[in-house]
Amino acid sequence: MNIEYLREFAALAENGNYLETAEELYMSQSTLSKHIMKMEKELGTRLFERTTRRVKMTEAGKLLLPYAIKIAGLQDEYSAKLGAHLRDRDNEIILASTSQITQYPIIDQIAWFKRSHMDIRLKVSIHTHEELNSLLLGRRTGFAWIGETDIEAADDRFERIHFMDDPLVLVCLPGHPLAGRTIIAPQDVDGRELIIQDSSSVDIYVFRLYCEREGIFPSLLEIPGGRAIIDFMEINDSAAVMVKSVAEKFAGQGIRIIPFEDSPIMHVNTIYAKGRPLSGADRIFIDFLKETARSYGK
């Protein structure tokens, strides 16, 4: 049964007059009468006894009235809570990324944004690279900070705010067998043990694509965090694969940073689904990201 009809029924029961009730509900008297008649037809019983001036509830009407009031009240309560929920949601931003986001200066900018916009809740959720697009398309996150390959960056389902381009590099200590190279060819690392970030990071995703393309099979040892990788290298004289911008953070510690031959370029972007309705908080965050992107890396 139409809940609005129940609300009209309760109002008519209180007023006892079609004209007064119709005016109170901002509708015509004939429309109100039709709605009551539809209810009576659906219930199979009369709800009002009509006279020339007023209406009087039948016993069936009296039986229905408390339920009609309760149902209409529950709808009002739900509508109020739904409105509050939607307002809260409109002030919440979720930025999904891999664990590698902590290696970039954007994390400091996000902290500044949170301090400067106390009314907006901003959360960063960590996922594997492969999960990010589905999270966006499924509306389980609003934005994703992501490193994209050329093919991914051509996906026109997303809007992009571009921050930088980042190639892969080999990182090693001066005594490592590859330390003297000026460029790393694919065969140089074929079969060799290499350290790489944990499986959620884009490094490992991009490097695996590179290995597939070049037909090479290095042994990959996952260690979370750039600092932990450098510490491990110092103990075990190993080499690591990183994106250039992260490796350069450790350039003053006596390490060698050597580019890969024909390295894939990782396009570092913040992306969001095209056509997604944007809240006021979303638009503030997008403006912040665009401003940050203009000065990124300077």
Side-chain angles (χ1 to χ4, degrees):
M1 181 174 292
N2 190 311
I3 294 177
E4 290 305 312
Y5 291 0
L6 291 172
R7 193 185 306 279
E8 293 165 11
F9 161 77
L12 180 58
E14 180 180 354
N15 290 328
N17 183 282
Y18 270 96
L19 180 59
E20 290 177 10
T21 303
E23 290 177 349
E24 180 182 298
L25 297 173
Y26 299 99
M27 62 195 311
S28 68
Q29 183 174 342
S30 62
T31 298
L32 174 61
S33 180
K34 288 176 183 178
H35 290 174
I36 298 299
M37 290 173 66
K38 284 182 179 180
M39 288 181 63
E40 291 177 329
K41 183 177 180 180
E42 185 175 343
L43 292 170
T45 186
R46 294 181 67 84
L47 299 173
F48 294 99
E49 297 293 345
R50 296 160 177 80
T51 66
T52 54
R53 294 181 61 83
R54 300 192 67 80
V55 293
K56 179 181 178 181
M57 274 194 296
T58 63
E59 290 303 314
K62 292 177 182 178
L63 184 64
L64 175 61
L65 182 59
Y67 294 101
I69 293 172
K70 185 174 183 179
I71 290 169
L74 287 171
Q75 186 195 41
D76 291 341
E77 182 180 342
Y78 168 73
S79 296
K81 289 187 176 181
L82 177 62
H85 166 72
L86 293 175
R87 287 191 296 275
D88 287 345
R89 188 186 66 180
D90 286 346
N91 282 325
E92 179 178 84
I93 294 170
I94 301 177
L95 174 66
S97 184
T98 68
S99 61
Q100 192 154 19
I101 191 172
T102 59
Q103 306 292 329
Y104 286 90
I106 187 65
I107 202 70
D108 297 326
Q109 296 296 318
I110 289 171
W112 177 87
F113 179 88
K114 293 179 72 170
R115 290 193 300 270
S116 302
H117 299 83
M118 300 294 289
D119 58 323
I120 299 175
R121 293 189 301 279
L122 173 58
K123 298 190 286 189
V124 178
S125 60
I126 302 300
H127 306 271
T128 64
H129 178 85
E130 291 86 346
E131 292 173 326
L132 295 179
N133 285 3
S134 62
L135 288 170
L136 286 167
L137 295 173
R139 305 289 174 88
R140 297 193 298 279
T141 187
F143 300 88
W145 167 270
I146 186 172
E148 297 183 292
T149 62
D150 289 339
I151 293 175
E152 290 174 316
D155 189 338
D156 63 3
R157 294 175 297 175
F158 303 103
E159 301 285 357
R160 288 174 174 79
I161 302 171
H162 180 65
F163 286 82
M164 64 185 301
D165 291 331
D166 222 356
L168 291 174
V169 296
L170 186 86
V171 178
C172 62
L173 296 173
H176 191 274
L178 297 176
R181 305 293 176 89
T182 57
I183 194 164
I184 300 296
Q187 59 270 23
D188 292 333
V189 296
D190 191 17
R192 187 182 294 276
E193 182 181 85
L194 297 173
I195 309 169
I196 201 156
Q197 291 261 22
D198 65 275
S199 58
S200 77
S201 74
V202 71
D203 291 9
I204 197 166
Y205 176 76
V206 173
F207 187 61
R208 280 176 174 159
L209 291 179
Y210 179 75
C211 293
E212 289 175 11
R213 186 187 76 189
E214 300 296 337
I216 57 175
F217 302 93
S219 174
L220 302 182
L221 174 63
E222 295 180 26
I223 296 180
R227 179 66 261 173
I229 288 175
I230 299 299
D231 291 343
F232 187 89
M233 284 171 44
E234 291 174 347
I235 297 170
N236 295 275
D237 194 24
S238 303
V241 176
M242 297 182 182
V243 288
K244 184 179 179 183
S245 65
V246 173
E248 287 178 340
K249 293 176 63 177
F250 307 100
Q253 301 182 30
I255 62 170
R256 293 274 290 123
I257 299 175
I258 312 168
F260 276 90
E261 179 181 283
D262 197 21
S263 170
I265 300 297
M266 186 179 71
H267 307 286
V268 181
N269 302 317
T270 297
I271 66 175
Y272 54 98
K274 283 185 177 178
R276 177 175 72 83
L278 298 175
S279 68
D282 288 334
R283 296 183 188 280
I284 291 171
F285 190 55
I286 288 170
D287 289 343
F288 155 77
L289 291 170
K290 289 180 177 178
E291 182 63 31
T292 303
R294 279 193 286 269
S295 59
Y296 204 80
K298 291 183 181 179

